[in-house]
Amino acid sequence: MYTLLSIHAENIPVYRNSDFPVEQRVEDLLRRMTLPEKIKQLQNRQSASKEEIEHIFKGESYGTTHEMSMSAYDCSVMYCMLQKYMKEQTRLGIPLLTCAEGIQGIVQNGCTIFPHALAQGSTFNPDLIQRMTDAAGEEAQAIGIHQILSPVLDIARELRWGRIEETFGEDPFLIAEMGMAFVRGYQKHAVTCMPKHFVAHGSPSGGLNCASVAGGERDLYSLYLYPFRKVIQCTHPQGVMTCYSVYDGIPVTGSSYFLQEILRDTLGFDGYVYSDWGAVERLMTFHHAVASREDAALMALKAGVDVNVDSSYECLEGLVKDGKLSEDLIDNAVRHILTVKFKLGLFDNDYASPEQIEKKVRSAEKIALSREIAEESVILLENKNGILPLSLDKYKSIALIGPNAAQTVMGDYSWTSSDTKEGVNLLDGLRLVCGNKIQINYAEGCDWWSQDTTKIAEAVEKVSRSDIAIVAIGTRSTYLGRSPEKSTSGEGFDLSSLELPGKQLELLKAVKKVGKPIVVCFIAGKPLAIPWVKEHADAVLVQWYGGEQQGIALANILCGNVNPSGKLNVSFPRSTGNTPCFYNHYVTDREEPFDKPGTINEPKGHYIFDRPEPLWNFGYGMSYTSFDYLSCSITDSIFTASDTIEVKVKLRNIGKRVGKEVVQLYVRDKVSSVATPIQQLKAFKKVELRPDECCEVLLRVPVAELALYDCNMQEIVEPGDFELQIGSASDQIIFRKTITVE
């Protein structure tokens, strides 16, 4: 084994002395490192059991490590031993950056499972999501995790893509607001986040994961970079993950334009760049941008990838010796990773606390918070004749039908097993909430994916002897790293059709024929094309994967214990061909000057059998109470580019229940030198009101948010008139105000 440098008081190395600035400590350590030691800092090494530490690390320190199969306690014990090993059994005592997925809570077994990112986005409540990551950060700190491989800042515009569930939604402003809150919660516990996937990964061709993304500079800067820019400049995360894909033909992981000029020079990122797993090697095997692993490693390092998660960087030493690579480039990358380690205090503190696991991990308070987020994320889309909430005095029996009725669906990157028994499903949730007040008749009806119809008859029989039917349909996905079976959503599971998979629509039609009222609970990781449901269901609730308490949360809303307050963060398409259907489109993408949309019975122009508008639009969501938008005022009507617009909206709850409303503000540039969207979300605020309670909501919009990239790609707020649209959804605008920018 190596012997540590002397640390007697009179000769403590600068890098070990916390009294010195980070920059000096980095340079002192860097000059002591050999070339092989430097290259190890640019690589990830997967951890395993505590008994295998010596076998895996062999007295050498690496840049990062991860472990994603142990329990929280066992992982914490292992990380304690591993970091001690790094300090005492490696030559320079360089600690590891420990990484974990944390998109819906820490991925170690036994941690709190919070709702997935799409459900987080539909709360429209950044403060609530910051509370979530504050709680998850406390768990991470106890385990000894320093780096979270989230949030996902991809934009959900291509609904066939399987990873919609990992995003906050379709709108860049909403994504940025939720992303900043997400990062800040973790940062309270000296845990840094890693926004991903840089950049434009979420709009792949054909909806196929990792496929190419088409677009120009204007889309890149005004759309895809928007959330990254805001999150990086406002929260300063210490890591960014690259993407697998190409943008406009350029493999991002091998591009200095994206990773240096844009990420560092333009956005001001000063942390380290981490490749998505296998992304460097894919420069050769996938993109064919280079002919060898050596060339892939060289291309990525020159581009700005500091830490590589495949084995390609093992080639770097040979490239230096052959004169193909300057050691200065390696030094620069090592500086980035060492700087983060010093900033997080890894050389000065031990963060793993196994003795705190029982107290801090999956505590009663955290489980309650998971349920609160799940309840606030559920979206009520239809409620004909006020059928919801269910009157338990009116109904003697409920038929609970469908493939997601007795199944929790956690989504990708949760630690659960394939059967996800670790959570509470809707059947169990209804039994808990209803108690003995009502008879629940359950039947699966069909599975979520196949053409098997043999169970539909049983479901019809259960409905025929019940007073009302609740049908739970949708998609399923589980953690990709734990051998998911027959997923219809999640990473690597993309759809060619957005119709309901399997025989779920046939099940719905059979249930409807019985003649009983029907409530549809759409439990999914993405919107699907369900026009039949909108037309024929008496009520429709949407629950994006709601974490471990999803069944109780949905049951509480069905039975009226909780008033739904979620809003759609992704628009629902009418059909697969109706995509993309995002709300913030250009005028030319929906409006037809020559003819009105047609129907099946009367074909016309445009989509000759249909209309291009979504089935349900972004921002929409109903409540069991009603809100009256009383008035709207603006401090002024003329502004300069440095001003902030302040809009005051007076709101009253005119119903009989306590409820939450999301007041939304959209902007439209009336005349612009380049095409701009028909409307863009620029402010929102969620408020809770008691019956007959009134409040004034203040919305602030910096005039700088009205900027566009002109024909010369200069970011500018063009003078002229802008329409402010204030309402409860993108297509439920109540007030329109015009302001002028001079």
Side-chain angles (χ1 to χ4, degrees):
M1 293 300 169
Y2 293 119
T3 301
L4 284 176
L5 293 173
S6 172
I7 54 171
H8 294 299
E10 63 272 15
N11 62 350
I12 295 177
V14 168
Y15 80 90
R16 286 191 163 284
N17 190 333
S18 60
D19 292 334
F20 283 90
V22 166
E23 293 78 8
Q24 285 184 244
R25 298 177 75 182
V26 169
E27 294 305 319
D28 179 67
L29 177 54
L30 187 60
R31 69 179 178 81
R32 299 170 186 270
M33 297 172 70
T34 64
L35 179 60
E37 287 171 334
K38 293 174 183 177
I39 292 172
K40 290 290 190 299
Q41 287 300 306
L42 307 185
Q43 298 178 69
N44 179 82
R45 189 75 163 176
Q46 183 170 352
S47 303
S49 66
K50 58 188 179 183
E51 292 79 14
E52 297 180 278
I53 289 175
E54 171 59 34
H55 172 72
I56 292 171
F57 291 94
K58 299 181 175 63
E60 297 171 323
S61 177
Y62 285 75
T64 63
T65 189
H66 71 276
E67 200 297 315
M68 298 186 184
S69 62
M70 290 183 184
S71 71
Y73 179 81
D74 288 344
C75 187
S76 185
V77 170
M78 184 273 293
Y79 277 155
C80 276
M81 296 184 66
L82 181 57
Q83 296 290 33
K84 183 178 181 182
Y85 178 90
M86 288 297 136
K87 289 184 178 181
E88 297 179 0
Q89 303 299 325
T90 64
R91 189 176 77 88
L92 294 170
I94 303 174
L96 291 157
L97 249 178
T98 51
C99 302
E101 298 290 349
I103 192 169
Q104 59 189 113
I106 307 305
V107 78
Q108 303 307 142
N109 294 7
C111 290
T112 312
I113 305 171
F114 294 100
H116 218 324
L118 197 61
Q120 296 166 31
S122 66
T123 68
F124 275 70
N125 191 341
D127 292 341
L128 183 60
I129 302 315
Q130 184 166 328
R131 284 173 55 203
M132 182 197 82
T133 51
D134 186 356
E138 188 176 60
E139 294 187 345
Q141 187 183 62
I143 297 168
I145 293 167
H146 314 117
Q147 174 75 73
I148 298 301
L149 307 178
S150 299
V152 173
L153 301 184
D154 297 327
I155 299 174
R157 287 191 153 199
E158 173 47 84
L159 298 181
R160 292 172 292 179
W161 187 47
R163 303 185 75 172
I164 295 295
E165 64 197 49
E166 296 179 43
T167 76
F168 292 123
E170 72 181 42
D171 178 76
F173 181 84
L174 175 66
I175 294 168
E177 294 298 304
M178 305 308 282
M180 289 188 291
F182 187 100
V183 172
R184 285 169 177 149
Y186 275 115
Q187 286 177 336
K188 290 184 179 180
H189 303 278
V191 177
T192 190
C193 285
M194 184 177 286
K196 61 184 184 183
H197 305 86
F198 193 82
V199 59
H201 187 60
S203 298
S205 176
L208 290 168
N209 193 42
C210 305
S212 62
V213 180
E217 274 196 299
R218 189 162 290 101
D219 276 350
L220 177 66
Y221 275 87
S222 60
L223 181 66
Y224 298 118
L225 284 173
Y226 180 93
F228 282 97
R229 178 182 186 177
K230 208 164 184 180
V231 170
I232 287 168
Q233 294 180 349
C234 294
T235 67
H236 307 288
Q238 293 301 299
V240 161
M241 183 186 291
T242 67
C243 63
Y244 290 122
S245 51
V246 305
Y247 184 78
D248 195 23
I250 301 173
V252 176
T253 297
S255 169
S256 59
Y257 170 68
F258 287 109
L259 302 183
Q260 298 283 0
E261 291 183 38
I262 294 179
L263 180 59
R264 293 196 183 277
D265 298 343
T266 301
L267 304 190
F269 176 69
D270 62 358
Y272 75 102
V273 175
Y274 181 98
S275 75
D276 205 341
W277 295 11
V280 172
E281 191 160 296
R282 287 188 181 200
L283 294 172
M284 174 188 67
T285 62
F286 192 52
H287 299 299
H288 303 283
V290 292
S292 67
R293 289 176 69 245
E294 289 81 4
D295 287 343
L298 188 62
M299 184 181 195
L301 186 68
K302 286 184 174 180
V305 175
D306 300 313
V307 175
N308 177 35
V309 194
D310 59 46
S311 60
S312 300
Y313 274 15
E314 293 174 357
C315 304
L316 294 180
E317 186 174 358
L319 290 169
V320 172
K321 290 179 179 178
D322 292 342
K324 297 179 180 178
L325 173 64
S326 168
E327 192 169 344
D328 289 343
L329 279 176
I330 292 176
D331 287 351
N332 194 49
V334 174
R335 281 188 185 93
H336 293 151
I337 185 71
L338 291 180
T339 297
V340 172
K341 291 183 177 184
F342 280 114
K343 283 184 175 180
L344 292 177
L346 305 191
F347 285 83
D348 310 313
N349 299 291
D350 293 319
Y351 284 100
S353 305
E355 73 282 356
Q356 294 291 317
I357 295 296
E358 185 175 356
K359 176 183 177 182
K360 292 186 176 181
V361 172
R362 215 177 184 184
S363 64
E365 293 80 9
K366 291 182 175 67
I367 293 172
L369 177 59
S370 179
R371 187 179 72 245
E372 181 184 350
I373 299 167
E375 290 169 346
E376 204 160 309
S377 71
V378 173
I379 310 153
L380 177 63
L381 293 181
E382 298 289 334
N383 195 19
K384 297 165 186 175
N385 301 314
I387 192 171
L388 292 181
L390 298 174
S391 172
L392 300 187
D393 296 329
K394 178 180 179 180
Y395 302 110
K396 302 295 184 183
S397 59
I398 293 174
L400 181 59
I401 308 298
N404 283 345
Q407 173 72 43
T408 52
V409 191
M410 304 300 187
D412 206 353
Y413 292 105
S414 67
W415 59 263
T416 53
S417 54
S418 59
D419 57 19
T420 61
K421 291 180 179 178
E422 297 83 0
V424 181
N425 60 48
L426 178 55
L427 176 59
D428 291 338
L430 276 174
R431 286 170 174 166
L432 286 168
V433 172
C434 295
N436 298 321
K437 297 178 181 178
I438 201 162
Q439 174 68 36
I440 299 174
N441 301 314
Y442 163 71
E444 183 182 31
C446 68
D447 61 38
W448 69 98
W449 64 277
S450 79
Q451 299 300 301
D452 183 7
T453 60
T454 58
K455 299 178 182 178
I456 292 180
E458 179 193 6
V460 169
E461 188 274 330
K462 292 288 178 72
V463 173
S464 67
R465 57 187 178 90
S466 304
D467 296 327
I468 188 171
I470 298 174
V471 187
I473 57 170
T475 64
R476 285 214 202 155
S477 63
T478 55
Y479 185 17
L480 180 63
R482 299 195 178 186
S483 303
E485 294 184 7
K486 301 177 177 63
S487 292
T488 51
S489 182
E491 183 175 5
F493 297 97
D494 312 307
L495 293 174
S496 60
S497 168
L498 292 175
E499 314 304 313
L500 275 169
K503 290 297 183 179
Q504 295 182 81
L505 183 57
E506 189 169 324
L507 172 66
L508 284 165
K509 290 179 177 179
V511 169
K512 182 67 177 178
K513 284 182 180 179
V514 178
K516 303 294 176 69
I518 178 172
V519 174
V520 171
C521 294
F522 181 76
I523 301 170
K526 65 168 75 178
L528 295 177
I530 51 175
W532 187 95
V533 172
K534 180 173 184 178
E535 182 178 354
H536 296 285
D538 295 286
V540 180
L541 284 166
V542 171
Q543 183 182 60
W544 309 130
Y545 302 149
E548 63 178 82
Q549 294 290 295
Q550 59 190 252
I552 295 178
L554 195 50
N556 275 332
I557 286 174
L558 284 165
C559 296
N561 297 332
V562 173
N563 193 348
S565 64
K567 298 284 188 175
L568 277 184
N569 45 336
V570 190
S571 303
F572 270 74
R574 293 179 178 274
S575 65
T576 304
N578 184 216
T579 57
C581 65
F582 48 83
Y583 85 96
N584 49 346
H585 57 85
Y586 295 129
V587 176
T588 53
D589 296 347
R590 296 269 172 89
E591 297 185 5
E592 171 57 57
F594 305 113
D595 204 351
K596 295 181 179 179
T599 66
I600 293 175
N601 297 321
E602 188 178 358
K604 291 187 178 180
H606 225 18
Y607 286 148
I608 63 172
F609 297 122
D610 205 351
R611 60 183 62 247
E613 290 79 15
L615 198 63
W616 293 289
N617 221 323
F618 177 87
Y620 180 70
M622 303 171 70
S623 171
Y624 294 155
T625 191
S626 299
F627 299 95
D628 191 4
Y629 283 67
L630 300 173
S631 64
C632 176
S633 62
I634 307 176
T635 53
D636 205 342
S637 60
I638 300 177
F639 297 87
T640 66
S642 61
D643 291 336
T644 295
I645 306 162
E646 292 191 350
V647 179
K648 294 178 180 179
V649 182
K650 196 170 184 180
L651 191 70
R652 173 177 284 132
N653 181 348
I654 58 173
K656 297 180 179 180
R657 289 175 174 265
V658 174
K660 296 178 180 179
E661 171 69 322
V662 180
V663 181
Q664 302 163 45
L665 187 153
Y666 299 84
V667 175
R668 180 175 184 176
D669 193 341
K670 288 191 170 184
V671 178
S672 53
S673 62
V674 297
T676 51
I678 194 168
Q679 56 184 165
Q680 298 181 80
L681 182 69
K682 289 300 177 183
F684 62 88
K685 181 70 174 178
K686 193 169 198 175
V687 293
E688 182 177 68
L689 295 174
R690 298 184 301 275
D692 203 40
E693 183 180 6
C694 186
C695 77
E696 186 174 76
V697 177
L698 176 62
L699 301 173
R700 291 187 174 92
V701 181
V703 174
E705 281 283 344
L706 310 184
L708 53 74
Y709 289 89
D710 67 13
C711 57
N712 297 313
M713 282 305 298
Q714 298 298 309
E715 186 179 20
I716 184 174
V717 179
E718 292 187 334
D721 292 341
F722 295 81
E723 182 181 71
L724 306 184
Q725 306 169 0
I726 299 93
S728 59
S730 61
D731 59 351
Q732 303 278 322
I733 300 302
I734 298 163
F735 301 113
R736 297 178 186 269
K737 303 283 186 177
T738 297
I739 62 149
T740 301
V741 175
E742 291 186 336

